[in-house]
Amino acid sequence: MPRSLVRPSLLFYAILAVTVLGGVLAATVGLREVLDRTVLGSAGVFLLVIGGWALSLTLHEFGHAIVAYRGGDHEVAAKGYLALDIRRYTDPVLSLVLPLIILAIGGIPLPGGAVWINQWALRSRAVSSRVSLAGPLTNLALGIVLTLTVISVDMPVGLLAGLSYLASLQILAFVINILPVPGLDGYGALEPYLPPRAREFGHQARPWAPLMLLALILAVPTAGQALWGLSDLVFGAVGGDPNAAGIGQYLFMFWR
């Protein structure tokens, strides 16, 4: 694949700059500042997490697109999916702004974007499955990298907490996305191997099934607990510290 096809947009670099700025501000937070919940420190963690989440959403969708391109769907390049531009990944309000708002108010980090893949152009069912899995595996990889960074690098409490919380969100996004629910990537990986009737039902259920899942998680405590428990299990398995992530969430939600 020609390298010229993958050119990160200026917006990607702008979001990266905001994230780095948030990290710099978060690094000013020590243990006393955590207890005092200083404005500067909380603002830093907020920018770090929101910016980091927007970057991860972009990389999630880019993962789908790059695997699709290599698997035969070269239309993704013409659609701008290889430009690492968050605006290219479907509706900017329903698919990007709304999930970020839900995250900001302390909700579940819903999958935000989407890339439209020409399934007929893909070389095989296995390639189609890999395209679906590329997104959540990107979140998992980011969660592992962030966790390893926190473990291996000596850093201020605020930065450690912010990165830990961001890592935990990546793991939660992986767990949610990998569920075999129509509209999520876990179902997309299975869909090529399902009989025609099941695929037709999945296509019809795709627009509302993720929202039903969200409603179930919020309305049924045991469902939410099961999801958090699974996410915590994976987060702990990769070396994450739930206490540090909790402090990061505390600083992130400065309005509470």
PDB file of all heavy atoms in Angstrom, residues 91-129:
ATOM      1  N   ASP A  91     -21.648  10.433  10.889  1.00  0.00           N
ATOM      2  CA  ASP A  91     -22.318  11.630  11.359  1.00  0.00           C
ATOM      3  C   ASP A  91     -21.566  12.280  12.523  1.00  0.00           C
ATOM      4  O   ASP A  91     -21.320  11.633  13.533  1.00  0.00           O
ATOM      5  CB  ASP A  91     -23.741  11.287  11.808  1.00  0.00           C
ATOM      6  CG  ASP A  91     -24.516  12.537  12.203  1.00  0.00           C
ATOM      7  OD1 ASP A  91     -25.065  13.168  11.302  1.00  0.00           O
ATOM      8  OD2 ASP A  91     -24.533  12.860  13.405  1.00  0.00           O
ATOM      9  N   PRO A  92     -21.201  13.573  12.396  1.00  0.00           N
ATOM     10  CA  PRO A  92     -20.384  14.207  13.437  1.00  0.00           C
ATOM     11  C   PRO A  92     -21.102  14.395  14.768  1.00  0.00           C
ATOM     12  O   PRO A  92     -20.452  14.460  15.802  1.00  0.00           O
ATOM     13  CB  PRO A  92     -20.021  15.564  12.817  1.00  0.00           C
ATOM     14  CG  PRO A  92     -21.088  15.825  11.811  1.00  0.00           C
ATOM     15  CD  PRO A  92     -21.473  14.480  11.272  1.00  0.00           C
ATOM     16  N   VAL A  93     -22.433  14.489  14.749  1.00  0.00           N
ATOM     17  CA  VAL A  93     -23.171  14.700  15.994  1.00  0.00           C
ATOM     18  C   VAL A  93     -23.543  13.373  16.650  1.00  0.00           C
ATOM     19  O   VAL A  93     -23.168  13.097  17.795  1.00  0.00           O
ATOM     20  CB  VAL A  93     -24.447  15.535  15.745  1.00  0.00           C
ATOM     21  CG1 VAL A  93     -25.266  15.654  17.027  1.00  0.00           C
ATOM     22  CG2 VAL A  93     -24.082  16.924  15.225  1.00  0.00           C
ATOM     23  N   LEU A  94     -24.264  12.529  15.932  1.00  0.00           N
ATOM     24  CA  LEU A  94     -24.746  11.278  16.515  1.00  0.00           C
ATOM     25  C   LEU A  94     -23.623  10.282  16.761  1.00  0.00           C
ATOM     26  O   LEU A  94     -23.687   9.479  17.700  1.00  0.00           O
ATOM     27  CB  LEU A  94     -25.802  10.648  15.592  1.00  0.00           C
ATOM     28  CG  LEU A  94     -27.087  11.461  15.398  1.00  0.00           C
ATOM     29  CD1 LEU A  94     -28.015  10.738  14.431  1.00  0.00           C
ATOM     30  CD2 LEU A  94     -27.774  11.710  16.725  1.00  0.00           C
ATOM     31  N   SER A  95     -22.598  10.333  15.928  1.00  0.00           N
ATOM     32  CA  SER A  95     -21.556   9.322  16.029  1.00  0.00           C
ATOM     33  C   SER A  95     -20.306   9.786  16.757  1.00  0.00           C
ATOM     34  O   SER A  95     -19.514   8.949  17.185  1.00  0.00           O
ATOM     35  CB  SER A  95     -21.154   8.843  14.620  1.00  0.00           C
ATOM     36  OG  SER A  95     -22.253   8.289  13.951  1.00  0.00           O
ATOM     37  N   LEU A  96     -20.132  11.095  16.884  1.00  0.00           N
ATOM     38  CA  LEU A  96     -18.907  11.593  17.506  1.00  0.00           C
ATOM     39  C   LEU A  96     -19.188  12.467  18.720  1.00  0.00           C
ATOM     40  O   LEU A  96     -18.727  12.188  19.818  1.00  0.00           O
ATOM     41  CB  LEU A  96     -18.075  12.370  16.473  1.00  0.00           C
ATOM     42  CG  LEU A  96     -17.671  11.575  15.229  1.00  0.00           C
ATOM     43  CD1 LEU A  96     -16.955  12.487  14.243  1.00  0.00           C
ATOM     44  CD2 LEU A  96     -16.797  10.403  15.589  1.00  0.00           C
ATOM     45  N   VAL A  97     -19.966  13.516  18.523  1.00  0.00           N
ATOM     46  CA  VAL A  97     -20.208  14.452  19.614  1.00  0.00           C
ATOM     47  C   VAL A  97     -21.002  13.798  20.737  1.00  0.00           C
ATOM     48  O   VAL A  97     -20.653  13.917  21.922  1.00  0.00           O
ATOM     49  CB  VAL A  97     -20.937  15.708  19.095  1.00  0.00           C
ATOM     50  CG1 VAL A  97     -21.270  16.644  20.259  1.00  0.00           C
ATOM     51  CG2 VAL A  97     -20.089  16.426  18.047  1.00  0.00           C
ATOM     52  N   LEU A  98     -22.080  13.088  20.381  1.00  0.00           N
ATOM     53  CA  LEU A  98     -22.926  12.472  21.406  1.00  0.00           C
ATOM     54  C   LEU A  98     -22.153  11.478  22.275  1.00  0.00           C
ATOM     55  O   LEU A  98     -22.250  11.537  23.511  1.00  0.00           O
ATOM     56  CB  LEU A  98     -24.136  11.800  20.755  1.00  0.00           C
ATOM     57  CG  LEU A  98     -25.137  11.159  21.713  1.00  0.00           C
ATOM     58  CD1 LEU A  98     -25.706  12.201  22.674  1.00  0.00           C
ATOM     59  CD2 LEU A  98     -26.263  10.489  20.941  1.00  0.00           C
ATOM     60  N   PRO A  99     -21.378  10.540  21.698  1.00  0.00           N
ATOM     61  CA  PRO A  99     -20.597   9.643  22.559  1.00  0.00           C
ATOM     62  C   PRO A  99     -19.610  10.378  23.459  1.00  0.00           C
ATOM     63  O   PRO A  99     -19.395   9.959  24.598  1.00  0.00           O
ATOM     64  CB  PRO A  99     -19.866   8.739  21.546  1.00  0.00           C
ATOM     65  CG  PRO A  99     -20.732   8.745  20.344  1.00  0.00           C
ATOM     66  CD  PRO A  99     -21.278  10.145  20.279  1.00  0.00           C
ATOM     67  N   LEU A 100     -19.016  11.466  22.951  1.00  0.00           N
ATOM     68  CA  LEU A 100     -18.086  12.229  23.783  1.00  0.00           C
ATOM     69  C   LEU A 100     -18.821  12.907  24.936  1.00  0.00           C
ATOM     70  O   LEU A 100     -18.308  12.980  26.053  1.00  0.00           O
ATOM     71  CB  LEU A 100     -17.352  13.275  22.933  1.00  0.00           C
ATOM     72  CG  LEU A 100     -16.270  12.735  21.991  1.00  0.00           C
ATOM     73  CD1 LEU A 100     -15.752  13.853  21.105  1.00  0.00           C
ATOM     74  CD2 LEU A 100     -15.134  12.092  22.761  1.00  0.00           C
ATOM     75  N   ILE A 101     -20.046  13.382  24.675  1.00  0.00           N
ATOM     76  CA  ILE A 101     -20.840  13.995  25.744  1.00  0.00           C
ATOM     77  C   ILE A 101     -21.209  12.948  26.787  1.00  0.00           C
ATOM     78  O   ILE A 101     -21.128  13.192  27.999  1.00  0.00           O
ATOM     79  CB  ILE A 101     -22.099  14.665  25.166  1.00  0.00           C
ATOM     80  CG1 ILE A 101     -21.709  15.882  24.316  1.00  0.00           C
ATOM     81  CG2 ILE A 101     -23.052  15.081  26.288  1.00  0.00           C
ATOM     82  CD1 ILE A 101     -22.875  16.524  23.604  1.00  0.00           C
ATOM     83  N   ILE A 102     -21.620  11.768  26.321  1.00  0.00           N
ATOM     84  CA  ILE A 102     -21.966  10.682  27.247  1.00  0.00           C
ATOM     85  C   ILE A 102     -20.762  10.319  28.108  1.00  0.00           C
ATOM     86  O   ILE A 102     -20.875  10.108  29.317  1.00  0.00           O
ATOM     87  CB  ILE A 102     -22.475   9.455  26.476  1.00  0.00           C
ATOM     88  CG1 ILE A 102     -23.819   9.770  25.804  1.00  0.00           C
ATOM     89  CG2 ILE A 102     -22.632   8.254  27.410  1.00  0.00           C
ATOM     90  CD1 ILE A 102     -24.329   8.670  24.924  1.00  0.00           C
ATOM     91  N   LEU A 103     -19.595  10.267  27.482  1.00  0.00           N
ATOM     92  CA  LEU A 103     -18.371   9.987  28.233  1.00  0.00           C
ATOM     93  C   LEU A 103     -18.101  11.097  29.240  1.00  0.00           C
ATOM     94  O   LEU A 103     -17.752  10.844  30.398  1.00  0.00           O
ATOM     95  CB  LEU A 103     -17.190   9.858  27.272  1.00  0.00           C
ATOM     96  CG  LEU A 103     -15.802   9.718  27.895  1.00  0.00           C
ATOM     97  CD1 LEU A 103     -15.714   8.446  28.730  1.00  0.00           C
ATOM     98  CD2 LEU A 103     -14.733   9.711  26.822  1.00  0.00           C
ATOM     99  N   ALA A 104     -18.301  12.336  28.823  1.00  0.00           N
ATOM    100  CA  ALA A 104     -17.998  13.475  29.684  1.00  0.00           C
ATOM    101  C   ALA A 104     -18.892  13.525  30.914  1.00  0.00           C
ATOM    102  O   ALA A 104     -18.469  13.978  31.978  1.00  0.00           O
ATOM    103  CB  ALA A 104     -18.117  14.780  28.901  1.00  0.00           C
ATOM    104  N   ILE A 105     -20.130  13.056  30.791  1.00  0.00           N
ATOM    105  CA  ILE A 105     -21.030  13.086  31.943  1.00  0.00           C
ATOM    106  C   ILE A 105     -20.928  11.810  32.769  1.00  0.00           C
ATOM    107  O   ILE A 105     -21.724  11.573  33.667  1.00  0.00           O
ATOM    108  CB  ILE A 105     -22.493  13.316  31.507  1.00  0.00           C
ATOM    109  CG1 ILE A 105     -22.996  12.159  30.634  1.00  0.00           C
ATOM    110  CG2 ILE A 105     -22.642  14.640  30.801  1.00  0.00           C
ATOM    111  CD1 ILE A 105     -24.458  12.302  30.237  1.00  0.00           C
ATOM    112  N   GLY A 106     -19.934  10.997  32.448  1.00  0.00           N
ATOM    113  CA  GLY A 106     -19.682   9.820  33.264  1.00  0.00           C
ATOM    114  C   GLY A 106     -20.383   8.573  32.790  1.00  0.00           C
ATOM    115  O   GLY A 106     -20.537   7.619  33.543  1.00  0.00           O
ATOM    116  N   GLY A 107     -20.801   8.566  31.523  1.00  0.00           N
ATOM    117  CA  GLY A 107     -21.493   7.404  30.999  1.00  0.00           C
ATOM    118  C   GLY A 107     -20.557   6.380  30.396  1.00  0.00           C
ATOM    119  O   GLY A 107     -19.349   6.393  30.619  1.00  0.00           O
ATOM    120  N   ILE A 108     -21.133   5.515  29.592  1.00  0.00           N
ATOM    121  CA  ILE A 108     -20.388   4.427  28.970  1.00  0.00           C
ATOM    122  C   ILE A 108     -19.746   4.944  27.684  1.00  0.00           C
ATOM    123  O   ILE A 108     -20.413   5.612  26.884  1.00  0.00           O
ATOM    124  CB  ILE A 108     -21.325   3.252  28.666  1.00  0.00           C
ATOM    125  CG1 ILE A 108     -21.947   2.741  29.963  1.00  0.00           C
ATOM    126  CG2 ILE A 108     -20.591   2.121  27.963  1.00  0.00           C
ATOM    127  CD1 ILE A 108     -23.086   1.786  29.743  1.00  0.00           C
ATOM    128  N   PRO A 109     -18.469   4.650  27.443  1.00  0.00           N
ATOM    129  CA  PRO A 109     -17.828   5.102  26.212  1.00  0.00           C
ATOM    130  C   PRO A 109     -18.337   4.312  25.010  1.00  0.00           C
ATOM    131  O   PRO A 109     -17.743   3.331  24.579  1.00  0.00           O
ATOM    132  CB  PRO A 109     -16.339   4.828  26.470  1.00  0.00           C
ATOM    133  CG  PRO A 109     -16.337   3.689  27.426  1.00  0.00           C
ATOM    134  CD  PRO A 109     -17.551   3.883  28.304  1.00  0.00           C
ATOM    135  N   LEU A 110     -19.486   4.729  24.478  1.00  0.00           N
ATOM    136  CA  LEU A 110     -20.081   4.034  23.347  1.00  0.00           C
ATOM    137  C   LEU A 110     -19.182   4.106  22.120  1.00  0.00           C
ATOM    138  O   LEU A 110     -18.453   5.087  21.935  1.00  0.00           O
ATOM    139  CB  LEU A 110     -21.433   4.665  23.000  1.00  0.00           C
ATOM    140  CG  LEU A 110     -22.582   4.412  23.962  1.00  0.00           C
ATOM    141  CD1 LEU A 110     -23.779   5.244  23.523  1.00  0.00           C
ATOM    142  CD2 LEU A 110     -22.949   2.941  23.979  1.00  0.00           C
ATOM    143  N   PRO A 111     -19.251   3.094  21.252  1.00  0.00           N
ATOM    144  CA  PRO A 111     -18.560   3.204  19.972  1.00  0.00           C
ATOM    145  C   PRO A 111     -19.050   4.443  19.254  1.00  0.00           C
ATOM    146  O   PRO A 111     -20.254   4.685  19.183  1.00  0.00           O
ATOM    147  CB  PRO A 111     -18.988   1.923  19.234  1.00  0.00           C
ATOM    148  CG  PRO A 111     -19.438   0.989  20.311  1.00  0.00           C
ATOM    149  CD  PRO A 111     -20.005   1.851  21.394  1.00  0.00           C
ATOM    150  N   GLY A 112     -18.139   5.266  18.747  1.00  0.00           N
ATOM    151  CA  GLY A 112     -18.559   6.543  18.225  1.00  0.00           C
ATOM    152  C   GLY A 112     -18.692   6.644  16.729  1.00  0.00           C
ATOM    153  O   GLY A 112     -19.657   7.208  16.236  1.00  0.00           O
ATOM    154  N   GLY A 113     -17.758   6.149  15.972  1.00  0.00           N
ATOM    155  CA  GLY A 113     -17.762   6.346  14.540  1.00  0.00           C
ATOM    156  C   GLY A 113     -18.132   5.099  13.780  1.00  0.00           C
ATOM    157  O   GLY A 113     -18.577   4.103  14.342  1.00  0.00           O
ATOM    158  N   ALA A 114     -17.979   5.188  12.500  1.00  0.00           N
ATOM    159  CA  ALA A 114     -18.224   4.023  11.650  1.00  0.00           C
ATOM    160  C   ALA A 114     -17.599   4.284  10.295  1.00  0.00           C
ATOM    161  O   ALA A 114     -17.550   5.418   9.832  1.00  0.00           O
ATOM    162  CB  ALA A 114     -19.718   3.752  11.493  1.00  0.00           C
ATOM    163  N   VAL A 115     -17.110   3.249   9.674  1.00  0.00           N
ATOM    164  CA  VAL A 115     -16.647   3.339   8.294  1.00  0.00           C
ATOM    165  C   VAL A 115     -17.500   2.376   7.476  1.00  0.00           C
ATOM    166  O   VAL A 115     -17.837   1.285   7.938  1.00  0.00           O
ATOM    167  CB  VAL A 115     -15.148   2.988   8.159  1.00  0.00           C
ATOM    168  CG1 VAL A 115     -14.294   4.040   8.830  1.00  0.00           C
ATOM    169  CG2 VAL A 115     -14.828   1.617   8.750  1.00  0.00           C
ATOM    170  N   TRP A 116     -17.865   2.803   6.285  1.00  0.00           N
ATOM    171  CA  TRP A 116     -18.717   1.995   5.441  1.00  0.00           C
ATOM    172  C   TRP A 116     -17.845   1.182   4.500  1.00  0.00           C
ATOM    173  O   TRP A 116     -17.181   1.715   3.612  1.00  0.00           O
ATOM    174  CB  TRP A 116     -19.691   2.879   4.667  1.00  0.00           C
ATOM    175  CG  TRP A 116     -20.526   3.711   5.589  1.00  0.00           C
ATOM    176  CD1 TRP A 116     -20.396   5.046   5.829  1.00  0.00           C
ATOM    177  CD2 TRP A 116     -21.578   3.253   6.437  1.00  0.00           C
ATOM    178  NE1 TRP A 116     -21.308   5.470   6.769  1.00  0.00           N
ATOM    179  CE2 TRP A 116     -22.055   4.391   7.154  1.00  0.00           C
ATOM    180  CE3 TRP A 116     -22.181   2.013   6.662  1.00  0.00           C
ATOM    181  CZ2 TRP A 116     -23.098   4.306   8.079  1.00  0.00           C
ATOM    182  CZ3 TRP A 116     -23.217   1.939   7.583  1.00  0.00           C
ATOM    183  CH2 TRP A 116     -23.668   3.070   8.264  1.00  0.00           C
ATOM    184  N   ILE A 117     -17.858  -0.126   4.708  1.00  0.00           N
ATOM    185  CA  ILE A 117     -16.992  -1.039   3.967  1.00  0.00           C
ATOM    186  C   ILE A 117     -17.788  -1.715   2.865  1.00  0.00           C
ATOM    187  O   ILE A 117     -18.923  -2.152   3.069  1.00  0.00           O
ATOM    188  CB  ILE A 117     -16.396  -2.109   4.909  1.00  0.00           C
ATOM    189  CG1 ILE A 117     -15.666  -1.442   6.082  1.00  0.00           C
ATOM    190  CG2 ILE A 117     -15.465  -3.043   4.144  1.00  0.00           C
ATOM    191  CD1 ILE A 117     -14.507  -0.570   5.697  1.00  0.00           C
ATOM    192  N   ASN A 118     -17.184  -1.824   1.697  1.00  0.00           N
ATOM    193  CA  ASN A 118     -17.773  -2.586   0.591  1.00  0.00           C
ATOM    194  C   ASN A 118     -17.438  -4.062   0.808  1.00  0.00           C
ATOM    195  O   ASN A 118     -16.361  -4.528   0.428  1.00  0.00           O
ATOM    196  CB  ASN A 118     -17.237  -2.084  -0.745  1.00  0.00           C
ATOM    197  CG  ASN A 118     -17.833  -2.843  -1.925  1.00  0.00           C
ATOM    198  OD1 ASN A 118     -18.694  -3.718  -1.766  1.00  0.00           O
ATOM    199  ND2 ASN A 118     -17.384  -2.519  -3.121  1.00  0.00           N
ATOM    200  N   GLN A 119     -18.368  -4.772   1.442  1.00  0.00           N
ATOM    201  CA  GLN A 119     -18.108  -6.171   1.795  1.00  0.00           C
ATOM    202  C   GLN A 119     -17.853  -7.030   0.565  1.00  0.00           C
ATOM    203  O   GLN A 119     -17.110  -8.012   0.633  1.00  0.00           O
ATOM    204  CB  GLN A 119     -19.287  -6.731   2.590  1.00  0.00           C
ATOM    205  CG  GLN A 119     -19.547  -6.040   3.921  1.00  0.00           C
ATOM    206  CD  GLN A 119     -18.450  -6.287   4.935  1.00  0.00           C
ATOM    207  OE1 GLN A 119     -17.736  -7.292   4.879  1.00  0.00           O
ATOM    208  NE2 GLN A 119     -18.311  -5.372   5.897  1.00  0.00           N
ATOM    209  N   TRP A 120     -18.462  -6.665  -0.564  1.00  0.00           N
ATOM    210  CA  TRP A 120     -18.297  -7.459  -1.783  1.00  0.00           C
ATOM    211  C   TRP A 120     -16.871  -7.358  -2.334  1.00  0.00           C
ATOM    212  O   TRP A 120     -16.433  -8.239  -3.088  1.00  0.00           O
ATOM    213  CB  TRP A 120     -19.293  -7.004  -2.849  1.00  0.00           C
ATOM    214  CG  TRP A 120     -20.718  -7.217  -2.443  1.00  0.00           C
ATOM    215  CD1 TRP A 120     -21.611  -6.260  -2.048  1.00  0.00           C
ATOM    216  CD2 TRP A 120     -21.404  -8.471  -2.373  1.00  0.00           C
ATOM    217  NE1 TRP A 120     -22.809  -6.832  -1.720  1.00  0.00           N
ATOM    218  CE2 TRP A 120     -22.723  -8.190  -1.920  1.00  0.00           C
ATOM    219  CE3 TRP A 120     -21.058  -9.792  -2.637  1.00  0.00           C
ATOM    220  CZ2 TRP A 120     -23.676  -9.184  -1.737  1.00  0.00           C
ATOM    221  CZ3 TRP A 120     -22.011 -10.786  -2.456  1.00  0.00           C
ATOM    222  CH2 TRP A 120     -23.295 -10.482  -2.017  1.00  0.00           C
ATOM    223  N   ALA A 121     -16.169  -6.287  -1.973  1.00  0.00           N
ATOM    224  CA  ALA A 121     -14.804  -6.114  -2.475  1.00  0.00           C
ATOM    225  C   ALA A 121     -13.773  -6.885  -1.653  1.00  0.00           C
ATOM    226  O   ALA A 121     -12.645  -7.093  -2.109  1.00  0.00           O
ATOM    227  CB  ALA A 121     -14.435  -4.633  -2.487  1.00  0.00           C
ATOM    228  N   LEU A 122     -14.157  -7.314  -0.463  1.00  0.00           N
ATOM    229  CA  LEU A 122     -13.221  -8.045   0.396  1.00  0.00           C
ATOM    230  C   LEU A 122     -12.989  -9.449  -0.145  1.00  0.00           C
ATOM    231  O   LEU A 122     -13.891 -10.066  -0.701  1.00  0.00           O
ATOM    232  CB  LEU A 122     -13.759  -8.096   1.827  1.00  0.00           C
ATOM    233  CG  LEU A 122     -13.992  -6.723   2.494  1.00  0.00           C
ATOM    234  CD1 LEU A 122     -14.558  -6.904   3.885  1.00  0.00           C
ATOM    235  CD2 LEU A 122     -12.702  -5.920   2.540  1.00  0.00           C
ATOM    236  N   ARG A 123     -11.784  -9.950   0.050  1.00  0.00           N
ATOM    237  CA  ARG A 123     -11.381 -11.190  -0.604  1.00  0.00           C
ATOM    238  C   ARG A 123     -12.016 -12.445  -0.022  1.00  0.00           C
ATOM    239  O   ARG A 123     -12.133 -13.459  -0.710  1.00  0.00           O
ATOM    240  CB  ARG A 123      -9.855 -11.322  -0.543  1.00  0.00           C
ATOM    241  CG  ARG A 123      -9.123 -10.206  -1.285  1.00  0.00           C
ATOM    242  CD  ARG A 123      -7.655 -10.504  -1.427  1.00  0.00           C
ATOM    243  NE  ARG A 123      -6.981  -9.412  -2.099  1.00  0.00           N
ATOM    244  CZ  ARG A 123      -6.315  -8.453  -1.509  1.00  0.00           C
ATOM    245  NH1 ARG A 123      -6.219  -8.454  -0.179  1.00  0.00           N
ATOM    246  NH2 ARG A 123      -5.736  -7.493  -2.191  1.00  0.00           N
ATOM    247  N   SER A 124     -12.389 -12.402   1.244  1.00  0.00           N
ATOM    248  CA  SER A 124     -12.926 -13.611   1.874  1.00  0.00           C
ATOM    249  C   SER A 124     -13.698 -13.258   3.131  1.00  0.00           C
ATOM    250  O   SER A 124     -13.652 -12.113   3.614  1.00  0.00           O
ATOM    251  CB  SER A 124     -11.793 -14.583   2.230  1.00  0.00           C
ATOM    252  OG  SER A 124     -10.967 -14.032   3.243  1.00  0.00           O
ATOM    253  N   ARG A 125     -14.411 -14.250   3.673  1.00  0.00           N
ATOM    254  CA  ARG A 125     -15.122 -14.050   4.927  1.00  0.00           C
ATOM    255  C   ARG A 125     -14.141 -13.795   6.062  1.00  0.00           C
ATOM    256  O   ARG A 125     -14.427 -13.015   6.981  1.00  0.00           O
ATOM    257  CB  ARG A 125     -15.990 -15.272   5.239  1.00  0.00           C
ATOM    258  CG  ARG A 125     -17.168 -15.448   4.298  1.00  0.00           C
ATOM    259  CD  ARG A 125     -18.064 -16.580   4.727  1.00  0.00           C
ATOM    260  NE  ARG A 125     -17.386 -17.871   4.659  1.00  0.00           N
ATOM    261  CZ  ARG A 125     -17.955 -19.033   4.993  1.00  0.00           C
ATOM    262  NH1 ARG A 125     -19.208 -19.049   5.443  1.00  0.00           N
ATOM    263  NH2 ARG A 125     -17.288 -20.159   4.889  1.00  0.00           N
ATOM    264  N   ALA A 126     -12.986 -14.447   6.005  1.00  0.00           N
ATOM    265  CA  ALA A 126     -11.979 -14.247   7.044  1.00  0.00           C
ATOM    266  C   ALA A 126     -11.494 -12.796   7.057  1.00  0.00           C
ATOM    267  O   ALA A 126     -11.288 -12.207   8.123  1.00  0.00           O
ATOM    268  CB  ALA A 126     -10.804 -15.198   6.836  1.00  0.00           C
ATOM    269  N   VAL A 127     -11.324 -12.231   5.861  1.00  0.00           N
ATOM    270  CA  VAL A 127     -10.908 -10.824   5.780  1.00  0.00           C
ATOM    271  C   VAL A 127     -11.986  -9.923   6.374  1.00  0.00           C
ATOM    272  O   VAL A 127     -11.697  -8.987   7.112  1.00  0.00           O
ATOM    273  CB  VAL A 127     -10.627 -10.430   4.315  1.00  0.00           C
ATOM    274  CG1 VAL A 127     -10.446  -8.913   4.207  1.00  0.00           C
ATOM    275  CG2 VAL A 127      -9.385 -11.142   3.805  1.00  0.00           C
ATOM    276  N   SER A 128     -13.255 -10.222   6.068  1.00  0.00           N
ATOM    277  CA  SER A 128     -14.361  -9.439   6.614  1.00  0.00           C
ATOM    278  C   SER A 128     -14.359  -9.475   8.142  1.00  0.00           C
ATOM    279  O   SER A 128     -14.575  -8.459   8.797  1.00  0.00           O
ATOM    280  CB  SER A 128     -15.693  -9.971   6.076  1.00  0.00           C
ATOM    281  OG  SER A 128     -16.772  -9.214   6.564  1.00  0.00           O
ATOM    282  N   SER A 129     -14.089 -10.641   8.695  1.00  0.00           N
ATOM    283  CA  SER A 129     -14.018 -10.761  10.158  1.00  0.00           C
ATOM    284  C   SER A 129     -12.859  -9.947  10.716  1.00  0.00           C
ATOM    285  O   SER A 129     -12.996  -9.280  11.751  1.00  0.00           O
ATOM    286  CB  SER A 129     -13.875 -12.227  10.561  1.00  0.00           C
ATOM    287  OG  SER A 129     -15.055 -12.948  10.299  1.00  0.00           O
TER     288      SER A 129
END
